[in-house]
Amino acid sequence: MAPSAPQVFAEISTSAPPGPPRRILERAVVLGGSMAGLMAARVLSDHAGEVVIVERDPTEGAEPRPGVPQGTQVHALLPAGQTQLERWFPGFTDAAVAAGAPDYGRSDGRVYINNKLREVPDPPPERPILITTRPFLEYQVRRRVLALPNVRVVCGRAEGLRFTDSAVTGAAYVPAGQDEPVLLDADLVVDAMGRSSRLNDWLEEHGWPRAPMQRMPIRLNYASALFERDESISDAWVVVTQETPGPGRVARIGGVLSVEQNRWLMLVAGYDDDRPSRDPAEYAERCRRYFPAMFGEIAEKGRMIGGIITYHQADSRRRDFHAVDRLPAGLVAAGDAVASFNPVYGQGMTSATLHASCLSAWLQTGPDVTTTPAREYFEKVRVVVDAAWQISTFADLGLPHVTSGQPRGYRIIRWAGDLVQRASMVDEPTCRELNRVTSMETHPAALARPGLVLRALRLRLMGRI
């Protein structure tokens, strides 16, 4: 009997050390050096004689990469992602803290829903929670990966794939400063080129079917700014606030994170025609009018470092490689190249780490990657994508401008989900269960357990929610 989705998810999200190295490849090529590409390279280092990462941005330190326009925005590493980083790089958290990640031993994050503060405090974390900017975190991973003796990076733009019979046998890239492409032979190619990946086009050009794509038109607009952290202005450590759409309410999300170098990174977001601007006065007015008090205090009294950075994302999207009837051998995709979600839920980097564990689980079975399509890998990735997609899109389906895509039974599922969310504001067991799902530590099926819904219903009947 095939394992259920929650069972597969538990296998993938494990904290157990990976299996022993097993060389089954001569060379693997990873297209893209973001979190997904770096994590794939770490896994492949246990199974290939050589791993080559093709990355167009020649970034050496912890600076934002030009190829990631949203790189300076808020990026959350959920607890499940941190577990995977510890799994693949033992001691990662301690090393990141030693390199400058904030570690104040605090767990007093504040959560506001519709301007109401959650009564239940967060439970103490098992280890210091990593709260950093994306460039800082990516750099910590990059330097660990590139320290591996069989991993190297070349700077250039991925240009295409070489197909031989029914397999991918190489990848072409144009080195920085040159015009002519260079071909890299490969037993396995990983597409980690992000949400703008051209893999579907390359497949179609060579007679292979495109992976079906699903889109959710979220039309998200957000703005972030860095501020010098100042206790005399606010004691904010981590603050998350969400206004859900409803009578008299407009959907908005905000966050204040304490990041490395004793700074705050503050985000405010809206949807559709609700667009934060780069104007400091408008930014401060928005923070004061629509968000909890500490947002306005920081925006008006804090010392801003740099300017306000805005970003727009039109949709969430997923490419369903598991649904393709013909796949070439020697090819996988990971990270945003498979699925990219509404970034305010913080699932992107964590999903990338879980895709790496999917890759490891597949390679540990010793497949002949040069002749066998990676269907087992894509089926495991499907479980991870389904879980993240369910969490984010069920919330986004409530947005007024999202008028289609509701699954069967959506109304009853939405009713139960809203009930559990309201219960989590006052009830510790419900809060703990919801946190484990939204942090991608547990499969969303946990929220459908009758006992949890009945507990929330009792709280409603008691008048507590």
Side-chain angles (χ1 to χ4, degrees):
M1 184 176 179
S4 66
Q7 289 172 327
V8 174
F9 192 88
E11 170 200 348
I12 295 305
S13 59
T14 181
S15 61
R22 181 181 183 182
R23 181 169 171 174
I24 59 175
L25 308 166
E26 290 303 315
R27 176 189 283 165
V29 173
V30 180
L31 304 179
S34 64
M35 184 68 77
L38 293 170
M39 291 300 298
R42 168 61 188 91
V43 170
L44 288 165
S45 70
D46 284 348
H47 301 279
E50 181 185 28
V51 181
V52 181
I53 302 171
V54 178
E55 169 53 46
R56 64 181 179 180
D57 294 330
T59 302
E60 297 294 333
E63 302 85 18
R65 294 186 294 116
V68 186
Q70 78 280 24
T72 54
Q73 302 285 353
V74 169
H75 282 74
L77 180 71
L78 302 177
Q82 189 172 342
T83 295
Q84 293 306 305
L85 288 181
E86 283 289 333
R87 183 185 185 210
W88 290 103
F89 307 104
F92 184 90
T93 299
D94 289 342
V97 170
D103 173 27
Y104 303 123
R106 295 174 62 167
S107 61
D108 55 337
R110 303 173 199 168
V111 176
Y112 293 82
I113 302 294
N114 297 330
N115 210 31
K116 181 180 179 182
L117 178 64
R118 189 178 69 190
E119 298 176 13
V120 181
D122 286 334
E126 295 181 6
R127 62 175 66 92
I129 300 298
L130 282 179
I131 306 172
T132 71
T133 61
R134 171 171 172 166
F136 177 91
L137 185 67
E138 217 170 64
Y139 171 67
Q140 305 309 313
V141 176
R142 186 188 310 118
R143 67 185 186 87
R144 297 284 289 263
V145 171
L146 295 184
L148 298 169
N150 60 338
V151 178
R152 64 186 177 95
V153 63
V154 295
C155 185
R157 183 186 73 253
E159 192 64 23
L161 302 175
R162 180 179 69 190
F163 291 79
T164 303
D165 298 327
S166 60
V168 171
T169 57
Y173 79 101
V174 177
Q178 300 185 26
D179 298 321
E180 295 299 318
V182 172
L183 181 66
L184 293 168
D185 294 331
D187 296 317
L188 181 67
V189 175
V190 180
D191 171 19
M193 295 183 290
R195 61 185 273 118
S196 59
S197 166
R198 292 176 288 160
L199 179 58
N200 260 344
D201 295 336
W202 294 345
L203 288 169
E204 189 173 52
E205 288 170 6
H206 289 83
W208 294 90
R210 300 173 69 91
M213 182 183 287
Q214 299 183 48
R215 295 177 184 263
M216 169 76 69
I218 58 173
R219 298 205 288 269
L220 172 72
N221 316 296
Y222 57 109
S224 292
L226 281 165
F227 293 85
E228 184 178 283
R229 195 167 182 276
D230 187 342
E231 288 277 350
S232 68
I233 296 173
S234 174
D235 63 351
W237 166 241
V238 174
V239 181
V240 177
T241 178
Q242 181 178 10
E243 192 84 5
T244 60
R249 295 197 306 268
V250 175
R252 292 188 178 94
I253 292 178
V256 177
L257 302 181
S258 299
V259 299
E260 73 275 4
Q261 298 178 19
N262 199 34
R263 298 174 297 175
W264 283 307
L265 180 55
M266 189 164 69
L267 170 145
V268 292
Y271 293 93
D272 203 12
D273 295 328
D274 184 22
R275 289 176 172 263
S277 76
R278 297 184 181 182
D279 177 65
E282 192 277 338
Y283 181 86
E285 171 64 19
R286 176 178 291 267
C287 288
R288 175 65 71 186
R289 176 178 294 183
Y290 300 125
F291 296 94
M294 69 283 296
F295 284 76
E297 293 293 311
I298 293 171
E300 292 178 350
K301 300 178 182 178
R303 189 177 76 84
M304 188 182 294
I305 303 170
I308 298 167
I309 308 297
T310 57
Y311 182 70
H312 171 74
Q313 183 164 312
D315 57 28
S316 298
R317 61 181 64 171
R318 59 182 291 178
R319 298 174 175 93
D320 291 330
F321 289 97
H322 66 273
V324 178
D325 59 357
R326 289 192 306 118
L327 282 170
L331 178 69
V332 299
D336 284 1
V338 178
S340 63
F341 313 96
N342 185 332
V344 298
Y345 302 117
Q347 299 166 321
M349 291 194 298
T350 296
S351 290
T353 66
L354 292 170
H355 293 179
S357 289
C358 293
L359 181 61
S360 174
W362 175 57
L363 293 175
Q364 285 289 342
T365 66
D368 185 348
V369 301
T370 62
T371 62
T372 305
R375 292 199 177 278
E376 291 182 26
Y377 164 76
F378 283 118
E379 284 296 334
K380 293 182 186 297
V381 167
R382 175 189 185 180
V383 172
V384 176
V385 171
D386 282 349
W389 190 261
Q390 182 176 335
I391 294 167
S392 63
T393 60
F394 263 76
D396 292 341
L397 282 169
L399 296 170
H401 59 274
V402 178
T403 57
S404 62
Q406 287 85 355
R408 181 179 298 177
Y410 170 71
R411 289 190 177 184
I412 186 66
I413 296 172
R414 180 61 183 255
W415 173 83
D418 288 346
L419 187 67
V420 168
Q421 184 185 64
R422 290 199 301 271
S424 72
M425 300 290 285
V426 300
D427 181 63
E428 184 175 351
T430 306
C431 179
R432 184 168 57 248
E433 197 67 59
L434 181 61
N435 280 353
R436 287 188 58 80
V437 169
T438 57
S439 64
M440 298 186 71
E441 297 173 285
T442 302
H443 191 272
L447 297 183
R449 289 189 295 107
L452 187 69
V453 177
L454 288 173
R455 184 182 182 90
L457 187 57
R458 282 196 300 270
L459 290 168
R460 180 179 179 181
L461 294 174
M462 293 167 58
R464 295 192 59 195
I465 60 175

